[in-house]
Amino acid sequence: MKLTKTKRDVLRRKFGGCCAYCGSELPARGWHAERCEADFALLPGECRGLMPVCTECRTSKGNASAEAFRVLLSQQVYRAQRHSVNFRTAMRFGLVRETAAPVEFWFEKYAAVPASAQRISTESSQYQDSAA
């Protein structure tokens, strides 16, 4: 899908300049515009139906749905324990802890933040972009 530079910039700022899934800050270049599923089509902002996604999440997610990606992420600790002696050692020494926390995506958290706080974070990121 081809986006104009302006629409790409608007999409990048849709969730405060962060990846819709993990919440990491998106660089000016090197991220993906991904079509979102019907369940998430009513997300806030312009460019409805699209989500900004970092390269790491896009690679991990592949063609899976958001819910399938959530399940995949929830199984990561189990897989690491089963296959990685380094991970098991880190757990024994208390460097890593397993939690039963549900996987919550950034766009779900961001939707819960009041609009006034979202506007402030977007304005501060615009200020940082123009200062650079």
Side-chain angles (χ1 to χ4, degrees), residues 31 41 67 95 128:
W31 55 273
E67 290 308 317
L95 301 173
Q128 291 171 354

Side-chain angles (χ1 to χ4, degrees), residues 3 22 48 50 54 57 60 63 66 93 101 107 115 119 123 130:
L3 294 174
C22 68
R48 293 192 189 282
L50 294 175
C54 70
C57 284
S60 298
N63 290 330
F93 282 89
F107 68 83
R119 190 171 36 256
E123 289 170 1
S130 64

Side-chain angles (χ1 to χ4, degrees), residues 4-92:
T4 65
K5 188 174 181 177
T6 304
K7 284 186 178 181
R8 193 163 172 81
D9 187 52
V10 168
L11 180 60
R12 181 174 167 258
R13 291 184 281 127
K14 187 173 186 174
F15 298 107
C18 298
C19 172
Y21 292 113
C22 68
S24 65
E25 189 172 340
L26 294 171
R29 294 177 158 216
W31 55 273
H32 299 264
E34 181 177 284
R35 293 200 183 280
C36 61
E37 299 153 20
D39 295 350
F40 308 117
L42 299 177
L43 293 170
E46 297 179 39
C47 296
R48 293 192 189 282
L50 294 175
M51 296 170 67
V53 180
C54 70
T55 302
E56 291 83 5
C57 284
R58 181 68 186 116
T59 302
S60 298
K61 181 179 173 285
N63 290 330
S65 68
E67 290 308 317
F69 186 41
R70 189 186 311 268
V71 170
L72 184 75
L73 291 171
S74 68
Q75 296 170 346
Q76 292 297 318
V77 172
Y78 170 72
R79 274 197 215 106
Q81 286 175 335
R82 190 176 61 195
H83 295 291
S84 172
V85 69
N86 294 333
F87 188 83
R88 290 190 300 269
T89 301
M91 284 191 73
R92 276 198 322 274

Side-chain angles (χ1 to χ4, degrees), residues 101-129:
V103 175
E104 188 176 12
F105 294 128
W106 176 249
F107 68 83
E108 295 167 328
K109 296 175 192 176
Y110 193 80
V113 174
S116 59
Q118 291 175 6
R119 190 171 36 256
I120 291 168
S121 71
T122 304
E123 289 170 1
S124 66
S125 69
Q126 286 175 344
Y127 176 74
Q128 291 171 354
D129 288 345

